[in-house]
Amino acid sequence: MAKSGFEREERIQFDLPEAEFSTLAVRSGQNRTMEGEHSDAIFPTSSFVYSSAREAAARFGGEEEGNIYSRFTNPTVAAFERRLAALEGAERGVATSSGMSAILSVGLSLLQQGDHIVCSRSVFGSVISLFDKYLSRAGITTTYVDPKSLDTWREAIQPNTKLFFLESPSNPLAEICDIQAIADIAHGVDALLVVDNCFLTPALQQPLKLGADIIVHSATKYLDGQGRCIGGVVLGSHQLMEAI
Ligand SMILES: Cc1ncc(COP(=O)(O)O)c(C=O)c1O
């Protein structure tokens, strides 16, 4: 008789070192359970169980890696993070509850009082509210620039500029920026470039390859593709994602 998942000794996993984008889009990041399921398993659980109080203590104390609570880690969310990281060519991704919370996480984690953002004026309206109404309360200021004019990006730089932010194409005007050139300007003053890649998705544009440091997505749009979910993700290096 065929062995059930409970009797199996090893998980069935595939390496995808040379896989094409379309294969990565359906396979990367999947961590099959012992049942050997074809599609991604979904783990609707808030918390997890342990074989002993000692194991629970080690997990909660950070001495042992593993799931403790789904706000921190959840296998379904982790598969989404690994898959988006594979598609964008990022070292790591951090999933968020929406696109706006992805952008908020970047602001709260990487900026502090007195810092300055240079932002394209052609961005989703809630981003402007977030920067002007909320981050401003923490003493973080923003200058908005014409995304197509490299001179305006340069002229907006202040001694305290820490972050550049753009969407390309933008919502709703579909304005396009020269991501590589803007990354070079940002890096010239040791600022980070954050690109909202919501509209093209990694299928059509991979901003890290163009010099961006961080990508944010509203997964609510094309990444979901069916109008059923609200979600977001931040992607970049291990070091930056650790802060996020
Ligand atoms: C380009 C862009 N970024 C961010 C957001 C915010 O994403 P969410 O609605 O998932 O919070 C949107 C939403 O329309 C958007 O169009």
PDB file of all heavy atoms in Angstrom, residues 152-174:
ATOM      1  N   THR A 152      15.292  67.532 -11.110  1.00  0.00           N
ATOM      2  CA  THR A 152      14.473  67.823  -9.927  1.00  0.00           C
ATOM      3  C   THR A 152      14.790  66.842  -8.796  1.00  0.00           C
ATOM      4  O   THR A 152      14.725  67.203  -7.621  1.00  0.00           O
ATOM      5  CB  THR A 152      12.949  67.833 -10.224  1.00  0.00           C
ATOM      6  OG1 THR A 152      12.537  66.533 -10.578  1.00  0.00           O
ATOM      7  CG2 THR A 152      12.582  68.819 -11.305  1.00  0.00           C
ATOM      8  N   TRP A 153      15.136  65.593  -9.129  1.00  0.00           N
ATOM      9  CA  TRP A 153      15.548  64.635  -8.079  1.00  0.00           C
ATOM     10  C   TRP A 153      16.826  65.149  -7.412  1.00  0.00           C
ATOM     11  O   TRP A 153      16.934  65.148  -6.192  1.00  0.00           O
ATOM     12  CB  TRP A 153      15.796  63.238  -8.660  1.00  0.00           C
ATOM     13  CG  TRP A 153      14.551  62.508  -9.095  1.00  0.00           C
ATOM     14  CD1 TRP A 153      13.985  62.519 -10.337  1.00  0.00           C
ATOM     15  CD2 TRP A 153      13.710  61.664  -8.284  1.00  0.00           C
ATOM     16  NE1 TRP A 153      12.848  61.736 -10.350  1.00  0.00           N
ATOM     17  CE2 TRP A 153      12.663  61.190  -9.117  1.00  0.00           C
ATOM     18  CE3 TRP A 153      13.742  61.245  -6.955  1.00  0.00           C
ATOM     19  CZ2 TRP A 153      11.661  60.328  -8.648  1.00  0.00           C
ATOM     20  CZ3 TRP A 153      12.755  60.378  -6.489  1.00  0.00           C
ATOM     21  CH2 TRP A 153      11.723  59.932  -7.330  1.00  0.00           C
ATOM     22  N   ARG A 154      17.779  65.609  -8.250  1.00  0.00           N
ATOM     23  CA  ARG A 154      19.068  66.094  -7.697  1.00  0.00           C
ATOM     24  C   ARG A 154      18.855  67.318  -6.829  1.00  0.00           C
ATOM     25  O   ARG A 154      19.400  67.433  -5.734  1.00  0.00           O
ATOM     26  CB  ARG A 154      20.019  66.461  -8.845  1.00  0.00           C
ATOM     27  CG  ARG A 154      20.701  65.274  -9.446  1.00  0.00           C
ATOM     28  CD  ARG A 154      21.819  65.701 -10.411  1.00  0.00           C
ATOM     29  NE  ARG A 154      21.989  64.653 -11.399  1.00  0.00           N
ATOM     30  CZ  ARG A 154      21.457  64.648 -12.619  1.00  0.00           C
ATOM     31  NH1 ARG A 154      20.754  65.682 -13.055  1.00  0.00           N
ATOM     32  NH2 ARG A 154      21.640  63.630 -13.429  1.00  0.00           N
ATOM     33  N   GLU A 155      18.020  68.264  -7.355  1.00  0.00           N
ATOM     34  CA  GLU A 155      17.836  69.554  -6.653  1.00  0.00           C
ATOM     35  C   GLU A 155      17.102  69.383  -5.320  1.00  0.00           C
ATOM     36  O   GLU A 155      17.237  70.213  -4.419  1.00  0.00           O
ATOM     37  CB  GLU A 155      17.042  70.518  -7.546  1.00  0.00           C
ATOM     38  CG  GLU A 155      17.900  71.089  -8.671  1.00  0.00           C
ATOM     39  CD  GLU A 155      17.062  71.561  -9.871  1.00  0.00           C
ATOM     40  OE1 GLU A 155      15.822  71.673  -9.729  1.00  0.00           O
ATOM     41  OE2 GLU A 155      17.648  71.781 -10.949  1.00  0.00           O
ATOM     42  N   ALA A 156      16.315  68.307  -5.181  1.00  0.00           N
ATOM     43  CA  ALA A 156      15.521  68.119  -3.954  1.00  0.00           C
ATOM     44  C   ALA A 156      16.350  67.548  -2.795  1.00  0.00           C
ATOM     45  O   ALA A 156      15.890  67.522  -1.655  1.00  0.00           O
ATOM     46  CB  ALA A 156      14.350  67.192  -4.244  1.00  0.00           C
ATOM     47  N   ILE A 157      17.550  67.100  -3.089  1.00  0.00           N
ATOM     48  CA  ILE A 157      18.365  66.447  -2.050  1.00  0.00           C
ATOM     49  C   ILE A 157      18.719  67.437  -0.950  1.00  0.00           C
ATOM     50  O   ILE A 157      19.079  68.587  -1.217  1.00  0.00           O
ATOM     51  CB  ILE A 157      19.649  65.855  -2.689  1.00  0.00           C
ATOM     52  CG1 ILE A 157      19.286  64.676  -3.591  1.00  0.00           C
ATOM     53  CG2 ILE A 157      20.655  65.427  -1.615  1.00  0.00           C
ATOM     54  CD1 ILE A 157      20.412  64.199  -4.482  1.00  0.00           C
ATOM     55  N   GLN A 158      18.599  66.992   0.287  1.00  0.00           N
ATOM     56  CA  GLN A 158      19.002  67.786   1.459  1.00  0.00           C
ATOM     57  C   GLN A 158      20.062  66.989   2.221  1.00  0.00           C
ATOM     58  O   GLN A 158      20.207  65.782   1.999  1.00  0.00           O
ATOM     59  CB  GLN A 158      17.780  68.050   2.354  1.00  0.00           C
ATOM     60  CG  GLN A 158      16.680  68.834   1.642  1.00  0.00           C
ATOM     61  CD  GLN A 158      15.464  69.080   2.537  1.00  0.00           C
ATOM     62  OE1 GLN A 158      15.476  68.783   3.725  1.00  0.00           O
ATOM     63  NE2 GLN A 158      14.413  69.620   1.943  1.00  0.00           N
ATOM     64  N   PRO A 159      20.764  67.640   3.151  1.00  0.00           N
ATOM     65  CA  PRO A 159      21.797  66.879   3.887  1.00  0.00           C
ATOM     66  C   PRO A 159      21.216  65.679   4.638  1.00  0.00           C
ATOM     67  O   PRO A 159      21.929  64.700   4.895  1.00  0.00           O
ATOM     68  CB  PRO A 159      22.350  67.912   4.878  1.00  0.00           C
ATOM     69  CG  PRO A 159      21.974  69.244   4.312  1.00  0.00           C
ATOM     70  CD  PRO A 159      20.728  69.063   3.509  1.00  0.00           C
ATOM     71  N   ASN A 160      19.909  65.733   4.977  1.00  0.00           N
ATOM     72  CA  ASN A 160      19.288  64.653   5.745  1.00  0.00           C
ATOM     73  C   ASN A 160      18.470  63.689   4.881  1.00  0.00           C
ATOM     74  O   ASN A 160      17.658  62.913   5.393  1.00  0.00           O
ATOM     75  CB  ASN A 160      18.398  65.243   6.855  1.00  0.00           C
ATOM     76  CG  ASN A 160      17.383  66.246   6.295  1.00  0.00           C
ATOM     77  OD1 ASN A 160      17.522  66.703   5.163  1.00  0.00           O
ATOM     78  ND2 ASN A 160      16.367  66.576   7.082  1.00  0.00           N
ATOM     79  N   THR A 161      18.655  63.722   3.553  1.00  0.00           N
ATOM     80  CA  THR A 161      17.885  62.827   2.665  1.00  0.00           C
ATOM     81  C   THR A 161      18.338  61.376   2.865  1.00  0.00           C
ATOM     82  O   THR A 161      19.519  61.066   2.705  1.00  0.00           O
ATOM     83  CB  THR A 161      18.062  63.238   1.186  1.00  0.00           C
ATOM     84  OG1 THR A 161      17.622  64.585   1.032  1.00  0.00           O
ATOM     85  CG2 THR A 161      17.268  62.329   0.272  1.00  0.00           C
ATOM     86  N   LYS A 162      17.384  60.503   3.184  1.00  0.00           N
ATOM     87  CA  LYS A 162      17.703  59.092   3.444  1.00  0.00           C
ATOM     88  C   LYS A 162      17.024  58.153   2.457  1.00  0.00           C
ATOM     89  O   LYS A 162      17.442  57.011   2.307  1.00  0.00           O
ATOM     90  CB  LYS A 162      17.264  58.704   4.870  1.00  0.00           C
ATOM     91  CG  LYS A 162      18.045  59.395   5.960  1.00  0.00           C
ATOM     92  CD  LYS A 162      19.429  58.774   6.090  1.00  0.00           C
ATOM     93  CE  LYS A 162      20.452  59.665   6.731  1.00  0.00           C
ATOM     94  NZ  LYS A 162      20.046  60.359   7.910  1.00  0.00           N
ATOM     95  N   LEU A 163      15.935  58.629   1.822  1.00  0.00           N
ATOM     96  CA  LEU A 163      15.137  57.708   1.012  1.00  0.00           C
ATOM     97  C   LEU A 163      14.613  58.409  -0.231  1.00  0.00           C
ATOM     98  O   LEU A 163      14.166  59.556  -0.149  1.00  0.00           O
ATOM     99  CB  LEU A 163      13.942  57.267   1.874  1.00  0.00           C
ATOM    100  CG  LEU A 163      13.296  55.939   1.566  1.00  0.00           C
ATOM    101  CD1 LEU A 163      14.094  54.812   2.202  1.00  0.00           C
ATOM    102  CD2 LEU A 163      11.881  55.931   2.127  1.00  0.00           C
ATOM    103  N   PHE A 164      14.687  57.703  -1.382  1.00  0.00           N
ATOM    104  CA  PHE A 164      13.999  58.131  -2.599  1.00  0.00           C
ATOM    105  C   PHE A 164      12.848  57.141  -2.809  1.00  0.00           C
ATOM    106  O   PHE A 164      13.022  55.938  -2.581  1.00  0.00           O
ATOM    107  CB  PHE A 164      14.937  58.040  -3.816  1.00  0.00           C
ATOM    108  CG  PHE A 164      15.883  59.183  -3.994  1.00  0.00           C
ATOM    109  CD1 PHE A 164      16.462  59.838  -2.927  1.00  0.00           C
ATOM    110  CD2 PHE A 164      16.231  59.588  -5.280  1.00  0.00           C
ATOM    111  CE1 PHE A 164      17.360  60.886  -3.124  1.00  0.00           C
ATOM    112  CE2 PHE A 164      17.119  60.632  -5.490  1.00  0.00           C
ATOM    113  CZ  PHE A 164      17.688  61.285  -4.414  1.00  0.00           C
ATOM    114  N   PHE A 165      11.709  57.649  -3.277  1.00  0.00           N
ATOM    115  CA  PHE A 165      10.549  56.760  -3.469  1.00  0.00           C
ATOM    116  C   PHE A 165       9.896  57.064  -4.810  1.00  0.00           C
ATOM    117  O   PHE A 165       9.639  58.227  -5.131  1.00  0.00           O
ATOM    118  CB  PHE A 165       9.531  56.978  -2.331  1.00  0.00           C
ATOM    119  CG  PHE A 165       8.393  55.996  -2.363  1.00  0.00           C
ATOM    120  CD1 PHE A 165       8.429  54.860  -1.573  1.00  0.00           C
ATOM    121  CD2 PHE A 165       7.298  56.191  -3.200  1.00  0.00           C
ATOM    122  CE1 PHE A 165       7.382  53.936  -1.604  1.00  0.00           C
ATOM    123  CE2 PHE A 165       6.262  55.265  -3.253  1.00  0.00           C
ATOM    124  CZ  PHE A 165       6.300  54.151  -2.445  1.00  0.00           C
ATOM    125  N   LEU A 166       9.614  56.007  -5.587  1.00  0.00           N
ATOM    126  CA  LEU A 166       8.928  56.215  -6.872  1.00  0.00           C
ATOM    127  C   LEU A 166       8.074  55.007  -7.232  1.00  0.00           C
ATOM    128  O   LEU A 166       8.282  53.896  -6.727  1.00  0.00           O
ATOM    129  CB  LEU A 166       9.934  56.512  -7.982  1.00  0.00           C
ATOM    130  CG  LEU A 166      10.942  55.434  -8.383  1.00  0.00           C
ATOM    131  CD1 LEU A 166      10.365  54.452  -9.405  1.00  0.00           C
ATOM    132  CD2 LEU A 166      12.191  56.091  -8.983  1.00  0.00           C
ATOM    133  N   GLU A 167       7.121  55.270  -8.129  1.00  0.00           N
ATOM    134  CA  GLU A 167       6.338  54.228  -8.796  1.00  0.00           C
ATOM    135  C   GLU A 167       6.613  54.369 -10.278  1.00  0.00           C
ATOM    136  O   GLU A 167       6.600  55.487 -10.775  1.00  0.00           O
ATOM    137  CB  GLU A 167       4.832  54.502  -8.650  1.00  0.00           C
ATOM    138  CG  GLU A 167       4.185  54.048  -7.409  1.00  0.00           C
ATOM    139  CD  GLU A 167       2.770  54.656  -7.309  1.00  0.00           C
ATOM    140  OE1 GLU A 167       2.114  54.921  -8.330  1.00  0.00           O
ATOM    141  OE2 GLU A 167       2.353  54.868  -6.166  1.00  0.00           O
ATOM    142  N   SER A 168       6.807  53.267 -10.966  1.00  0.00           N
ATOM    143  CA  SER A 168       6.994  53.372 -12.413  1.00  0.00           C
ATOM    144  C   SER A 168       6.498  52.084 -13.068  1.00  0.00           C
ATOM    145  O   SER A 168       7.088  51.027 -12.812  1.00  0.00           O
ATOM    146  CB  SER A 168       8.474  53.598 -12.735  1.00  0.00           C
ATOM    147  OG  SER A 168       8.652  53.823 -14.106  1.00  0.00           O
ATOM    148  N   PRO A 169       5.450  52.143 -13.852  1.00  0.00           N
ATOM    149  CA  PRO A 169       4.554  53.263 -14.114  1.00  0.00           C
ATOM    150  C   PRO A 169       3.772  53.631 -12.854  1.00  0.00           C
ATOM    151  O   PRO A 169       3.557  52.802 -11.986  1.00  0.00           O
ATOM    152  CB  PRO A 169       3.599  52.735 -15.185  1.00  0.00           C
ATOM    153  CG  PRO A 169       4.108  51.404 -15.601  1.00  0.00           C
ATOM    154  CD  PRO A 169       5.004  50.911 -14.541  1.00  0.00           C
ATOM    155  N   SER A 170       3.320  54.886 -12.827  1.00  0.00           N
ATOM    156  CA  SER A 170       2.643  55.380 -11.627  1.00  0.00           C
ATOM    157  C   SER A 170       1.131  55.183 -11.728  1.00  0.00           C
ATOM    158  O   SER A 170       0.583  55.034 -12.821  1.00  0.00           O
ATOM    159  CB  SER A 170       2.964  56.858 -11.472  1.00  0.00           C
ATOM    160  OG  SER A 170       2.450  57.581 -12.576  1.00  0.00           O
ATOM    161  N   ASN A 171       0.498  55.218 -10.554  1.00  0.00           N
ATOM    162  CA  ASN A 171      -0.960  55.137 -10.469  1.00  0.00           C
ATOM    163  C   ASN A 171      -1.501  56.517 -10.078  1.00  0.00           C
ATOM    164  O   ASN A 171      -1.145  57.016  -9.027  1.00  0.00           O
ATOM    165  CB  ASN A 171      -1.359  54.105  -9.399  1.00  0.00           C
ATOM    166  CG  ASN A 171      -2.865  53.982  -9.258  1.00  0.00           C
ATOM    167  OD1 ASN A 171      -3.613  54.481 -10.087  1.00  0.00           O
ATOM    168  ND2 ASN A 171      -3.296  53.311  -8.204  1.00  0.00           N
ATOM    169  N   PRO A 172      -2.326  57.192 -10.857  1.00  0.00           N
ATOM    170  CA  PRO A 172      -3.003  56.672 -12.052  1.00  0.00           C
ATOM    171  C   PRO A 172      -2.443  57.170 -13.383  1.00  0.00           C
ATOM    172  O   PRO A 172      -2.974  56.802 -14.426  1.00  0.00           O
ATOM    173  CB  PRO A 172      -4.419  57.229 -11.866  1.00  0.00           C
ATOM    174  CG  PRO A 172      -4.188  58.582 -11.256  1.00  0.00           C
ATOM    175  CD  PRO A 172      -2.970  58.436 -10.378  1.00  0.00           C
ATOM    176  N   LEU A 173      -1.381  57.980 -13.373  1.00  0.00           N
ATOM    177  CA  LEU A 173      -0.993  58.644 -14.626  1.00  0.00           C
ATOM    178  C   LEU A 173      -0.100  57.798 -15.542  1.00  0.00           C
ATOM    179  O   LEU A 173       0.202  58.200 -16.658  1.00  0.00           O
ATOM    180  CB  LEU A 173      -0.285  59.975 -14.322  1.00  0.00           C
ATOM    181  CG  LEU A 173      -1.155  61.037 -13.638  1.00  0.00           C
ATOM    182  CD1 LEU A 173      -0.340  62.292 -13.342  1.00  0.00           C
ATOM    183  CD2 LEU A 173      -2.366  61.390 -14.496  1.00  0.00           C
ATOM    184  N   ALA A 174       0.358  56.650 -15.040  1.00  0.00           N
ATOM    185  CA  ALA A 174       1.231  55.767 -15.826  1.00  0.00           C
ATOM    186  C   ALA A 174       2.490  56.491 -16.296  1.00  0.00           C
ATOM    187  O   ALA A 174       2.951  56.287 -17.433  1.00  0.00           O
ATOM    188  CB  ALA A 174       0.483  55.148 -17.002  1.00  0.00           C
TER     189      ALA A 174
END
